[in-house]
Amino acid sequence: MTHYDLLIIGTGSGSSIVDERFDGLRVAIAEAGLFGGTCLNVGCIPTKMFVHTADLAAAAADSSAFGIRTSFDGADWPAIRDRVFGRIDPIEAGGREYRTNRQPNVTVYPEHVRFTGPKSFTTASGTEFTADRVVLAAGSRAQIPALPGIDAKRVDTPGFPVMTNDTVMRMPQLPGSMTIVGGGFIAAEFAHVFAALGVEVTVLVRGEGLLTAADATVSERFTRAFSAHHRVHLGTQIREAEVTADGVRLRLEASGWVAGSPVPDDLTTDVVLLATGRVPNIDGLGLDAAGIDVVAGRVAVDGHQRVLSGGTPLPGVFALGDISSPHLLKHVANHEARIVQANLLADLAAGAPGAAPDSALETTSHRAVPAAVFSRPQVASVGATEDAVRASGAEYTVKIQEYADVAYGWALEDTTGFVKIIADRSTRQILGAHLMGDEASMIVQPLIQAMAFGLPADRMAREQYWIHPALPEAVENALLGLEFTD
């Protein structure tokens, strides 16, 4: 039976682990899908390339406030799509080719692999092997909710009008109409993309608002601003769906989340996009055979990213990214991959799997983890929500600064954007920051930095220059508006 020094399952952030320091090892890499993982192929990178195109289209269609006459005259979907994947597909192919053909110490298994024991494995085609050390980096996949009348196995198959983000960006042509199911960031981003490109978009949300995992101020104000530009039905769910020659017929009903909200008429749509979240790829890995703990649907790990079995680290087994992290974010997966890489090297130096003492291992930091939603308007956040801070019992101060009250907000003719900062009243430390509006994902960065390095909010506001009249003045004014104890 073939034996490896290291097995990595998944080629998203996990693929970055193997560099020249592993050249003397026999390494196996298993990937049943596309090299590069979710972010490269169906997630952050292609979606943001589409979002930028949508931003241009939306700006052209909505310029009258600036005294200019422009218009959106239609989208060349094949050109848009091919620009995106003409950049991405060669990267995917290049990563696969490099690992497969240019690293003599690496064996690639382009198929599903599962545990048959703590350190033994089998592939989908029946090849068996063992490995001393293992990294689980199998990522996540789109959640497919049960829809009466729709065979879940047909979702995302060629020509089927019910899809997820895995296939919607590669459609052969734009549909005339699209119904998006979901109220989170995936739904918000794709609704912006396709509506801006001329598709008649309807968003169905079971709950009482959009982005409900965000700070309550963000959720309420985003729901209002987004609904002003898009057809959104809150408190609505699909009772039954039927694929017809004309598309998909949806029979709708109230979800019960929003009292008194009228249920819209049943509708027929060309395409249904399921955007109800993502789930870790833990099923099918044979985790039980290895005795691996699963908590809240994720592989359980300790602070060093070591996989737990019965609450104890499994020697030489690590996990990272969406399969184990509470943060389904590429930048978090990349950080965790660096921790796993360092701890693998320490484990190898110790001579036996699990032999490295805790003192030799690096620890993951999930302090000040930021996130952004690239929709219209854009949203960014870092740290705790106001509800969470209130529930903690902390004495806090909060300030909301409107974009409209700073000079660059005037230039933008902005009426909805804002910066919200929450800080501890006595320590002056920033506890959370939540932004909505143009370039939110950029201007949140100094707040991330302040939280990461413990810079008090009052020092951040007063001990540096803020360019006038740039948009970060909204951050400055929010900081200055916080009220601290003497």
Side-chain angles (χ1 to χ4, degrees):
M1 183 181 294
T2 303
H3 180 76
Y4 296 98
D5 299 303
L6 172 64
L7 165 66
I8 298 177
I9 299 178
T11 59
S13 295
S15 185
S16 65
I17 290 172
V18 178
D19 60 16
E20 67 278 359
R21 290 171 289 181
F22 294 82
D23 284 351
L25 303 180
R26 295 192 69 186
V27 177
I29 296 177
E31 177 55 77
L34 295 170
F35 260 60
T38 296
C39 176
L40 174 66
N41 294 289
V42 296
C44 357
I45 295 175
T47 56
K48 302 319 167 283
M49 295 177 75
F50 280 105
V51 162
H52 180 66
T53 302
D55 287 345
L56 296 175
D62 187 18
S63 63
S64 59
F66 302 95
I68 58 175
R69 291 189 294 274
T70 63
S71 62
F72 170 69
D73 297 326
D76 182 346
W77 173 254
I80 295 170
R81 179 199 60 213
D82 294 348
R83 180 186 78 89
V84 173
F85 292 107
R87 175 70 63 88
I88 287 169
D89 289 347
I91 297 173
E92 188 278 338
R96 181 183 298 274
E97 194 274 336
Y98 175 73
R99 292 298 192 198
T100 303
N101 299 323
R102 300 192 194 181
Q103 289 190 292
N105 66 312
V106 173
T107 299
V108 173
Y109 290 96
E111 55 185 323
H112 189 76
V113 167
R114 62 178 176 84
F115 285 91
T116 55
K119 297 293 180 70
S120 59
F121 307 86
T122 185
T123 69
S125 62
T127 301
E128 297 183 345
F129 60 89
T130 57
D132 285 334
R133 294 172 178 84
V134 183
V135 176
L136 301 179
S140 63
R141 66 183 184 278
Q143 179 174 271
I144 299 178
L147 290 181
I150 298 296
D151 181 357
K153 294 180 180 179
R154 296 192 65 192
V155 173
D156 281 336
T157 58
F160 195 64
V162 182
M163 57 192 72
T164 70
N165 61 286
D166 285 356
T167 56
V168 73
M169 291 180 283
R170 293 184 184 261
M171 291 186 295
Q173 63 273 326
L174 280 178
S177 60
M178 173 183 291
T179 298
I180 299 178
V181 181
F185 74 94
I186 299 173
E189 291 185 353
F190 278 114
H192 167 47
V193 167
F194 287 107
L197 297 181
V199 178
E200 183 182 291
V201 172
T202 301
V203 182
L204 304 180
V205 185
R206 292 185 69 247
E208 59 187 0
L210 296 156
L211 304 186
T212 53
D215 181 86
T217 304
V218 171
S219 177
E220 188 275 326
R221 292 183 60 166
F222 180 86
T223 300
R224 190 181 342 133
F226 186 88
S227 299
H229 295 280
H230 301 86
R231 184 183 295 108
V232 178
H233 296 297
L234 303 177
T236 302
Q237 63 188 12
I238 298 172
R239 183 176 75 250
E240 187 178 11
E242 178 188 4
V243 176
T244 70
D246 298 323
V248 185
R249 181 179 297 119
L250 301 175
R251 297 177 177 85
L252 308 176
E253 64 182 4
S255 67
W257 282 81
V258 183
S261 178
V263 178
D265 294 334
D266 296 351
L267 59 91
T268 297
T269 183
D270 292 337
V271 168
V272 173
L273 171 61
L274 302 178
T276 55
R278 299 187 66 79
V279 293
N281 283 322
I282 62 170
D283 50 327
L285 287 177
L287 300 181
D288 289 345
I292 291 173
D293 295 345
V294 175
V295 177
R298 302 187 298 267
V299 171
V301 296
D302 67 5
H304 306 296
Q305 299 300 133
R306 295 179 297 189
V307 170
L308 301 179
S309 176
T312 301
L314 196 59
V317 183
F318 299 84
L320 63 93
D322 291 1
I323 199 170
S324 59
S325 179
H327 305 282
L328 274 65
L329 297 163
K330 178 62 172 176
H331 42 278
V332 173
N334 285 345
H335 167 73
E336 293 174 355
R338 290 190 290 270
I339 298 299
V340 169
Q341 183 187 60
N343 292 343
L344 272 173
L345 292 168
D347 201 57
L348 288 161
D358 288 4
S359 60
L361 301 178
E362 294 193 15
T363 302
T364 298
S365 172
H366 286 153
R367 175 177 171 79
V369 173
V373 182
F374 295 83
S375 185
R376 187 188 189 209
Q378 199 176 105
V379 169
S381 65
V382 59
T385 65
E386 185 176 359
D387 285 347
V389 173
R390 185 185 302 112
S392 74
E395 290 292 324
Y396 70 93
T397 174
V398 61
K399 172 63 177 177
I400 297 176
Q401 173 64 52
E402 306 293 336
Y403 274 27
D405 292 334
V406 299
Y408 204 83
W410 307 346
L412 295 172
E413 290 292 334
D414 187 279
T415 60
T416 61
F418 67 94
V419 175
K420 177 179 181 178
I421 300 177
I422 309 159
D424 188 286
R425 287 182 62 87
S426 58
T427 67
R428 293 165 161 76
Q429 292 294 309
I430 299 170
L431 303 176
H434 309 279
L435 293 74
M436 186 180 91
D438 275 29
E439 306 299 351
S441 63
M442 293 190 183
I443 67 172
V444 74
Q445 192 63 43
L447 293 162
I448 299 167
Q449 184 172 346
M451 290 182 67
F453 294 102
L455 180 64
D458 54 344
R459 289 191 58 200
M460 180 185 179
R462 297 185 182 278
E463 296 184 16
Q464 63 176 318
Y465 282 106
W466 296 84
I467 294 173
H468 176 77
L471 196 52
E473 280 190 317
V475 174
E476 177 194 19
N477 289 352
L479 291 165
L480 290 170
L482 296 168
E483 298 179 355
F484 300 109
T485 56
D486 294 333

